Short mmCIF file of all heavy atoms in Angstrom, two decimals:
data_model
loop_
_atom_site.label_atom_id
_atom_site.label_comp_id
_atom_site.label_asym_id
_atom_site.label_seq_id
_atom_site.Cartn_x
_atom_site.Cartn_y
_atom_site.Cartn_z
N ASN R 60 112.70 73.85 131.77
CA ASN R 60 111.20 74.01 131.85
C ASN R 60 110.84 75.44 132.52
O ASN R 60 109.76 75.93 132.13
CB ASN R 60 110.59 72.89 132.74
CG ASN R 60 110.36 71.60 131.91
OD1 ASN R 60 110.55 71.65 130.64
ND2 ASN R 60 110.27 70.51 132.56
N GLU R 61 111.68 75.84 133.38
CA GLU R 61 111.44 77.32 133.82
C GLU R 61 111.65 78.21 132.73
O GLU R 61 110.84 79.21 132.50
CB GLU R 61 112.38 77.58 135.10
CG GLU R 61 112.00 76.93 136.42
CD GLU R 61 112.93 77.24 137.44
OE1 GLU R 61 114.15 76.87 137.30
OE2 GLU R 61 112.49 77.88 138.35
N ARG R 62 112.62 77.91 131.89
CA ARG R 62 112.93 78.87 130.89
C ARG R 62 111.88 78.84 129.76
O ARG R 62 111.38 79.82 129.24
CB ARG R 62 114.29 78.48 130.17
CG ARG R 62 115.48 78.70 131.06
CD ARG R 62 116.70 78.17 130.45
NE ARG R 62 117.06 78.81 129.18
CZ ARG R 62 117.96 78.33 128.36
NH1 ARG R 62 118.52 77.16 128.52
NH2 ARG R 62 118.23 79.05 127.20
N ARG R 63 111.28 77.59 129.61
CA ARG R 63 110.24 77.38 128.58
C ARG R 63 108.95 78.13 129.09
O ARG R 63 108.28 78.80 128.36
CB ARG R 63 109.93 76.00 128.35
CG ARG R 63 108.93 75.73 127.21
CD ARG R 63 108.73 74.28 126.91
NE ARG R 63 107.80 74.09 125.82
CZ ARG R 63 108.21 73.40 124.73
NH1 ARG R 63 109.45 72.87 124.66
NH2 ARG R 63 107.25 73.22 123.78
N ALA R 64 108.63 78.01 130.46
CA ALA R 64 107.42 78.67 130.98
C ALA R 64 107.59 80.25 130.83
O ALA R 64 106.69 80.91 130.50
CB ALA R 64 107.28 78.28 132.40
N ALA R 65 108.77 80.78 131.13
CA ALA R 65 108.94 82.18 131.07
C ALA R 65 108.86 82.65 129.59
O ALA R 65 108.18 83.73 129.31
CB ALA R 65 110.39 82.54 131.58
N PHE R 66 109.39 81.85 128.59
CA PHE R 66 109.41 82.27 127.18
C PHE R 66 107.80 82.13 126.76
O PHE R 66 107.39 83.05 126.05
CB PHE R 66 110.12 81.20 126.39
CG PHE R 66 110.07 81.28 124.94
CD1 PHE R 66 110.99 82.08 124.23
CD2 PHE R 66 108.90 80.76 124.25
CE1 PHE R 66 110.92 82.25 122.87
CE2 PHE R 66 108.85 80.96 122.88
CZ PHE R 66 109.84 81.68 122.21
N THR R 67 107.10 81.17 127.25
CA THR R 67 105.66 81.09 126.84
C THR R 67 104.97 82.25 127.32
O THR R 67 103.99 82.79 126.67
CB THR R 67 105.21 79.71 127.31
OG1 THR R 67 105.93 78.66 126.79
CG2 THR R 67 103.68 79.54 126.82
N GLN R 68 105.14 82.66 128.65
CA GLN R 68 104.56 83.74 129.20
C GLN R 68 104.77 85.07 128.41
O GLN R 68 103.77 85.79 127.99
CB GLN R 68 104.80 83.88 130.59
CG GLN R 68 104.16 85.16 131.31
CD GLN R 68 102.67 84.93 131.44
OE1 GLN R 68 102.15 83.88 131.57
NE2 GLN R 68 101.91 86.08 131.32
N ALA R 69 105.89 85.32 128.04
CA ALA R 69 106.26 86.53 127.19
C ALA R 69 105.68 86.45 125.80
O ALA R 69 105.21 87.43 125.32
CB ALA R 69 107.83 86.62 127.08
N TYR R 70 105.66 85.23 125.21
CA TYR R 70 105.10 85.02 123.90
C TYR R 70 103.64 85.24 123.93
O TYR R 70 103.13 86.02 123.03
CB TYR R 70 105.43 83.63 123.49
CG TYR R 70 104.85 83.25 122.06
CD1 TYR R 70 105.43 83.46 120.95
CD2 TYR R 70 103.50 82.68 122.01
CE1 TYR R 70 104.89 83.25 119.64
CE2 TYR R 70 102.90 82.37 120.80
CZ TYR R 70 103.63 82.67 119.64
OH TYR R 70 103.05 82.41 118.42
N ASP R 71 102.90 84.76 124.93
CA ASP R 71 101.49 85.05 125.03
C ASP R 71 101.19 86.57 125.19
O ASP R 71 100.22 86.99 124.55
CB ASP R 71 100.89 84.28 126.25
CG ASP R 71 100.86 82.80 125.98
OD1 ASP R 71 101.02 82.32 124.77
OD2 ASP R 71 100.70 81.94 126.92
N GLU R 72 101.99 87.17 126.03
CA GLU R 72 101.77 88.63 126.12
C GLU R 72 102.05 89.37 124.91
O GLU R 72 101.34 90.34 124.61
CB GLU R 72 102.70 89.13 127.30
CG GLU R 72 102.29 88.64 128.72
CD GLU R 72 103.21 89.08 129.74
OE1 GLU R 72 104.10 89.95 129.49
OE2 GLU R 72 103.19 88.58 130.93
N GLU R 73 102.97 88.89 124.07
CA GLU R 73 103.31 89.56 122.83
C GLU R 73 102.24 89.32 121.85
O GLU R 73 101.85 90.33 121.13
CB GLU R 73 104.62 89.06 122.29
CG GLU R 73 105.10 89.58 121.08
CD GLU R 73 105.48 91.00 121.15
OE1 GLU R 73 105.86 91.40 122.25
OE2 GLU R 73 105.56 91.73 120.17
N GLN R 74 101.61 88.21 121.81
CA GLN R 74 100.54 87.88 120.88
C GLN R 74 99.27 88.80 121.23
O GLN R 74 98.61 89.17 120.34
CB GLN R 74 100.21 86.39 120.86
CG GLN R 74 101.28 85.49 120.42
CD GLN R 74 101.73 85.93 118.92
OE1 GLN R 74 100.97 86.09 118.00
NE2 GLN R 74 103.12 86.23 118.83
N ALA R 75 99.08 88.93 122.48
CA ALA R 75 97.90 89.73 122.87
C ALA R 75 98.17 91.24 122.47
O ALA R 75 97.22 91.91 122.05
CB ALA R 75 97.80 89.73 124.46
N TRP R 76 99.40 91.70 122.55
CA TRP R 76 99.71 93.02 122.13
C TRP R 76 99.58 93.19 120.60
O TRP R 76 98.89 94.14 120.12
CB TRP R 76 101.12 93.41 122.51
CG TRP R 76 101.48 94.77 121.98
CD1 TRP R 76 101.21 96.03 122.47
CD2 TRP R 76 102.20 94.98 120.76
NE1 TRP R 76 101.82 96.95 121.63
CE2 TRP R 76 102.36 96.42 120.57
CE3 TRP R 76 102.78 94.21 119.79
CZ2 TRP R 76 103.05 96.95 119.44
CZ3 TRP R 76 103.53 94.69 118.69
CH2 TRP R 76 103.59 96.11 118.62
N ARG R 77 99.97 92.15 119.91
CA ARG R 77 99.86 92.26 118.46
C ARG R 77 98.47 92.23 118.03
O ARG R 77 98.14 92.96 117.09
CB ARG R 77 100.58 90.95 117.79
CG ARG R 77 102.17 90.99 117.91
CD ARG R 77 102.65 89.91 117.15
NE ARG R 77 104.09 89.69 117.34
CZ ARG R 77 104.87 88.85 116.74
NH1 ARG R 77 104.30 88.02 115.80
NH2 ARG R 77 106.19 88.73 117.05
N THR R 78 97.67 91.34 118.63
CA THR R 78 96.20 91.43 118.20
C THR R 78 95.58 92.75 118.34
O THR R 78 94.80 93.22 117.52
CB THR R 78 95.55 90.34 119.02
OG1 THR R 78 96.05 89.00 118.87
CG2 THR R 78 93.97 90.28 118.72
N GLN R 79 95.89 93.50 119.43
CA GLN R 79 95.35 94.70 119.70
C GLN R 79 95.89 95.68 118.71
O GLN R 79 95.12 96.53 118.11
CB GLN R 79 95.62 95.18 121.09
CG GLN R 79 95.09 96.59 121.41
CD GLN R 79 95.49 97.01 122.91
OE1 GLN R 79 96.44 96.41 123.39
NE2 GLN R 79 94.76 98.02 123.38
N VAL R 80 97.22 95.79 118.49
CA VAL R 80 97.73 96.83 117.66
C VAL R 80 97.37 96.64 116.16
O VAL R 80 97.23 97.61 115.39
CB VAL R 80 99.25 96.86 117.82
CG1 VAL R 80 100.01 95.76 117.05
CG2 VAL R 80 99.84 98.22 117.41
N VAL R 81 97.20 95.41 115.70
CA VAL R 81 96.84 95.11 114.30
C VAL R 81 95.37 95.57 114.14
O VAL R 81 94.99 96.12 113.01
CB VAL R 81 96.99 93.56 114.04
CG1 VAL R 81 96.26 93.30 112.67
CG2 VAL R 81 98.40 93.20 113.92
N ALA R 82 94.48 95.36 115.09
CA ALA R 82 93.17 95.83 114.97
C ALA R 82 93.04 97.43 114.87
O ALA R 82 92.31 97.91 114.07
CB ALA R 82 92.29 95.38 116.17
N GLN R 83 93.90 97.97 115.62
CA GLN R 83 94.06 99.49 115.55
C GLN R 83 94.54 99.87 114.17
O GLN R 83 94.17 100.97 113.63
CB GLN R 83 94.91 99.92 116.68
CG GLN R 83 94.24 99.74 118.06
CD GLN R 83 95.15 100.12 119.19
OE1 GLN R 83 96.40 100.28 118.92
NE2 GLN R 83 94.66 100.20 120.48
N ALA R 84 95.62 99.17 113.66
CA ALA R 84 96.26 99.39 112.42
C ALA R 84 95.09 99.40 111.28
O ALA R 84 95.12 100.25 110.32
CB ALA R 84 97.40 98.59 112.12
N MET R 85 94.43 98.36 111.29
CA MET R 85 93.39 98.16 110.18
C MET R 85 92.38 99.30 110.27
O MET R 85 91.92 99.83 109.19
CB MET R 85 92.75 96.87 110.46
CG MET R 85 93.59 95.69 110.12
SD MET R 85 94.44 95.71 108.48
CE MET R 85 92.93 95.67 107.49
N GLN R 86 92.00 99.81 111.49
CA GLN R 86 91.10 100.80 111.59
C GLN R 86 91.65 102.05 111.00
O GLN R 86 91.06 102.97 110.35
CB GLN R 86 90.61 101.08 113.11
CG GLN R 86 89.53 102.10 113.20
CD GLN R 86 89.10 102.28 114.62
OE1 GLN R 86 89.72 101.67 115.50
NE2 GLN R 86 88.08 103.10 114.93
N GLU R 87 92.89 102.35 111.36
CA GLU R 87 93.59 103.47 110.93
C GLU R 87 93.63 103.49 109.35
O GLU R 87 93.44 104.48 108.66
CB GLU R 87 95.03 103.51 111.57
CG GLU R 87 95.81 104.79 111.03
CD GLU R 87 97.18 104.78 111.55
OE1 GLU R 87 97.70 103.64 112.00
OE2 GLU R 87 97.94 105.85 111.27
N TYR R 88 94.13 102.35 108.73
CA TYR R 88 94.33 102.30 107.42
C TYR R 88 92.90 102.46 106.65
O TYR R 88 92.78 103.22 105.73
CB TYR R 88 94.97 100.93 107.02
CG TYR R 88 94.93 100.72 105.50
CD1 TYR R 88 95.98 101.31 104.72
CD2 TYR R 88 93.95 99.90 104.88
CE1 TYR R 88 96.06 101.09 103.43
CE2 TYR R 88 94.13 99.65 103.55
CZ TYR R 88 95.14 100.34 102.75
OH TYR R 88 95.14 100.15 101.44
N ASN R 89 91.81 101.77 107.13
CA ASN R 89 90.57 101.92 106.45
C ASN R 89 89.98 103.29 106.61
O ASN R 89 89.14 103.72 105.77
CB ASN R 89 89.55 100.94 107.09
CG ASN R 89 90.03 99.46 106.73
OD1 ASN R 89 90.59 99.20 105.60
ND2 ASN R 89 89.69 98.53 107.62
N THR R 90 90.35 104.01 107.64
CA THR R 90 89.80 105.40 107.93
C THR R 90 90.56 106.47 107.21
O THR R 90 89.97 107.41 106.61
CB THR R 90 89.78 105.65 109.31
OG1 THR R 90 88.95 104.67 110.07
CG2 THR R 90 89.21 107.02 109.63
N THR R 91 91.88 106.36 107.24
CA THR R 91 92.74 107.55 106.70
C THR R 91 93.61 107.08 105.57
O THR R 91 94.23 108.00 104.97
CB THR R 91 93.60 107.94 107.87
OG1 THR R 91 94.64 106.91 108.21
CG2 THR R 91 92.86 108.33 109.13
N GLY R 92 93.73 105.85 105.24
CA GLY R 92 94.75 105.40 104.26
C GLY R 92 96.22 105.40 104.75
O GLY R 92 97.08 105.00 104.02
#
């Protein structure tokens, strides 16, 4: 359960990073191609 909690925390942080970077990627693509 400690391993699962640590995994979940890392996963949540990764998803937050992905959400941000994908939004930036879409803006870059739509602006510059």
Side-chain angles (χ1 to χ4, degrees):
N60 281 344
E61 287 181 295
R62 295 173 64 195
R63 187 175 184 126
F66 176 92
T67 302
Q68 180 64 32
Y70 178 87
D71 289 346
E72 292 176 9
E73 183 68 22
Q74 294 308 304
W76 174 82
R77 290 188 190 185
T78 298
Q79 180 182 19
V80 79
V81 167
Q83 293 171 346
M85 292 304 299
Q86 182 179 11
E87 179 188 11
Y88 175 79
N89 291 329
T90 302
T91 68

